[in-house]
Amino acid sequence: MTLSRITALTTVAAAALTLAAMAATPTLAQMKDQKTVTVGGAPMYPSKNIIQNAVNSKDHTTLVAAVKAAGLVDTLSGTGPFTVFAPTNEAFAKLPPGTVDSLLKPENKEKLKAVLTYHVVPGRMSAKDLMDAAKKAGGQAKIKTVEGDWLTVEAKGSTLNIWDSKGNVSKVTIQNVFQSNGVIQVIDTVLLPS
């Protein structure tokens, strides 16, 4: 094969890869047309998945580090759909001193994974869906997490509270951050399974 033929094939292959990447990634114009929610100083684009958006939030650096340490990046980048109750850095800071550092150690990977998957519910549950479920059940509704334990959703006016199995309550501070593979509900307290 001649050098010019190899160069031509390489150029065609590079162009094909570029076109494929462009088709999979929203253009700047497409992203500008999307209705976004700002979380941690960054716009969250509905065309991006949970991980692609979360890594841009300066309020969720601890959560992103924990997701990476637990090996859940591929799962939360998958098709889903998922509802993620996403604790902020301040939420993690409320835990007893040393808790986060301990959970991030390789030997505690399974415990970390259990804590994180306790914040994930199968399906795309908007704030309205959660409120409707709570109101239909008399003000509180139980929802099963990916981890297997239960959360209790409580609707009080336009406020959503999420109770864990230990009796800790977390308030949803930013509702309906829609993603291509689900929705994030930002919360102010880490939820803990039993």
Side-chain angles (χ1 to χ4, degrees), residues 18-156:
T18 301
L19 286 173
M22 287 170 51
T25 305
T27 66
L28 189 56
Q30 288 170 326
M31 288 195 297
K32 283 182 180 177
D33 291 340
Q34 294 180 50
K35 183 178 179 190
T36 62
V37 176
T38 299
V39 177
M44 301 288 120
Y45 293 99
S47 60
K48 293 184 176 185
N49 69 44
I50 290 166
I51 297 299
Q52 289 171 325
N53 275 318
V55 298
N56 294 316
S57 169
K58 68 177 185 245
D59 291 344
H60 290 88
T61 55
T62 305
L63 177 61
V64 169
V67 166
K68 288 177 182 176
L72 294 173
V73 170
D74 288 344
T75 301
L76 293 176
S77 296
T79 56
F82 306 106
T83 299
V84 177
F85 296 101
T88 61
N89 295 342
E90 288 180 5
F92 279 101
K94 291 181 185 178
L95 294 171
T99 302
V100 173
D101 290 337
S102 176
L103 284 171
L104 292 175
K105 291 181 178 175
E107 62 267 24
N108 293 325
K109 183 176 180 178
E110 290 307 310
K111 187 174 183 179
L112 176 61
K113 191 180 282 189
V115 170
L116 294 175
T117 56
Y118 187 59
H119 289 78
V120 181
V121 176
R124 182 187 307 256
M125 298 186 76
S126 69
K128 183 181 183 319
D129 295 333
L130 294 165
M131 285 183 182
D132 288 350
K135 288 175 183 171
K136 186 176 179 182
Q140 292 186 338
K142 295 233 181 245
I143 54 175
K144 193 166 189 177
T145 69
V146 170
E147 185 266 344
D149 206 346
W150 296 85
L151 294 171
T152 301
V153 177
E154 176 184 53
K156 285 189 170 182

